[in-house]
Amino acid sequence: MKKGTLRQVLLLTDGCSNAGGDPVAIAALMKEQGITVNVIGILEESQHGEHGLNEVEQIASSGGGISQIVYAKQLSQTVQMVTRKAMTQTIQGVVNKELQQILGEEHELEDLSPAKRGQVVEVVDDLGETMDLEVLILVDTSASMTKKLPMVQEALIDLSVSLRSRTGANQFSLYSFPGKRQDVEKRLGWTPHLDSLSGVFKKLTPGGLTPTGPALQEALHIFYKRMDRIEVERDERTDLEETGM
C-alpha cells in the first residue's frame, strides 16, 4: 500500500458555535478532501456533558473523525488518544477500500480468515507509525475558555512529545478563534514540535464569540495551500530528475 500523509484537524472547544457558517457542513467538505476532523469538548467539573455535546458529535461524525467530551483535568490523555485513534480509523478506512477492490464488493474484512485479518491489523499498525502526519490545531479562545487554556497548552505539548517516537514525520500548526481582527488567527506555523507553545499561549486574550464554522473553513483553505505547494515542489523535483540536474 502506498504511504501518504494523514491530515487531521484537532478542534478544542467548550461550547456551541454562535457565529459564521455551519461547522458540520464544512467538516463534511473537509472529509471529502481527505482531511479528518476530530473534536474535543472541554468541560468544567460543574458543567454537564449536554452543553455543546450534540455539535461536538455532529462535527466529528461529519468530518470522519473522533469526538470526545472531557473534563479539563483529563485533557492531556484525551488529546493523545483522539489523535491516535483517528489515525488508526483513517488508515483502516483506506486499507478497507483497497481490500474491497481486491475481494470484491460482496466480501468484507470479516470474511477473511483470522490469520489474514491479523495481517491487515499489522499493516494498519505499521502505517500508523510510518505515514507522515499533519495536525492543524484549532483552539477556541472565547471568554469561557479562559481557565482552560493552560491545560490545553500542557495537553498539546504532551501530544507532540508522545508522537516523537513515530518514524513518520509529524507536522503541527496552531490557530485560535476568534482572533483580534478576524475570525481565525495564526499562532504557530507548521513545525515538528510544539515546544514553543508556552510563549504562544501567553499572548492569547480570551474573549468574543465562537466562530467554529469560519475556523474550519480557514483550516480547509490552509490545507489546500499546503497541498498545492507540496505538489509544485514534487513536480519541480521530478523535472530536475528527468533533466538529469
Side-chain angles (χ1 to χ4, degrees):
M1 178 180 168
K2 183 180 177 182
K3 294 180 182 178
T5 300
L6 292 167
R7 296 183 173 92
Q8 293 187 21
V9 167
L10 178 60
L11 172 62
L12 298 158
T13 183
D14 72 345
C16 297
S17 59
N18 52 20
D22 179 9
V24 177
I26 298 167
L29 179 58
M30 298 183 85
K31 179 184 177 183
E32 290 177 8
Q33 301 304 313
I35 303 164
T36 302
V37 182
N38 304 309
V39 192
I40 297 177
I42 311 167
L43 304 180
E44 298 279 12
E45 291 292 344
S46 59
Q47 286 180 289
H48 297 291
E50 295 302 316
H51 181 66
L53 176 60
N54 288 338
E55 185 176 83
V56 164
E57 291 180 341
Q58 288 171 12
I59 293 172
S61 175
S62 183
I66 309 295
S67 65
Q68 188 78 28
I69 300 294
V70 63
Y71 291 112
K73 66 180 183 180
Q74 302 166 317
L75 185 59
S76 183
Q77 289 175 300
T78 303
V79 167
Q80 294 179 44
M81 179 275 290
V82 166
T83 303
R84 286 279 188 178
K85 191 173 178 181
M87 287 166 58
T88 301
Q89 178 174 288
T90 303
I91 295 167
Q92 283 176 335
V94 175
V95 171
N96 286 343
K97 281 184 181 178
E98 295 209 0
L99 282 174
Q100 203 83 67
Q101 292 178 344
I102 296 169
L103 300 173
E105 291 187 5
E106 67 277 7
H107 295 291
E108 301 288 340
L109 178 60
E110 289 71 25
D111 297 329
L112 296 175
S113 67
K116 290 291 184 183
R117 283 202 301 273
Q119 290 176 0
V120 171
V121 171
E122 286 183 16
V123 168
V124 171
D125 289 343
D126 176 65
L127 289 172
E129 293 301 314
T130 58
M131 289 182 77
D132 291 345
L133 173 66
E134 295 179 355
V135 183
L136 191 152
I137 303 159
L138 286 175
V139 179
D140 174 1
T141 53
S142 55
S144 56
M145 284 287 288
T146 303
K147 295 180 180 179
K148 301 169 186 174
L149 290 179
M151 280 167 276
V152 171
Q153 173 190 316
E154 180 184 337
L156 294 178
I157 292 174
D158 287 348
L159 170 66
S160 177
V161 171
S162 74
L163 293 174
R164 284 182 191 173
S165 61
R166 299 180 66 250
T167 55
N170 301 318
Q171 288 286 325
F172 307 94
S173 63
L174 177 69
Y175 290 76
S176 65
F177 66 100
K180 288 183 180 179
R181 299 178 182 84
Q182 51 199 5
D183 290 328
V184 189
E185 193 160 340
K186 180 180 177 180
R187 297 295 181 176
L188 191 64
W190 291 102
T191 175
H193 304 306
L194 293 174
D195 308 80
S196 57
L197 277 184
S198 55
V200 172
F201 272 75
K202 286 177 183 176
K203 299 175 184 176
L204 293 178
T205 306
L209 300 174
T210 309
T212 308
L216 288 172
Q217 185 73 57
E218 179 62 17
L220 178 58
H221 180 61
I222 292 162
F223 270 118
Y224 277 153
K225 287 197 298 184
R226 183 168 176 78
M227 288 186 280
D228 286 344
R229 189 176 74 250
I230 291 172
E231 188 66 34
V232 168
E233 290 173 353
R234 186 182 297 120
D235 290 344
E236 288 175 348
R237 285 197 301 270
T238 302
D239 291 342
L240 288 173
E241 290 170 1
E242 289 177 351
T243 55
M245 294 180 67

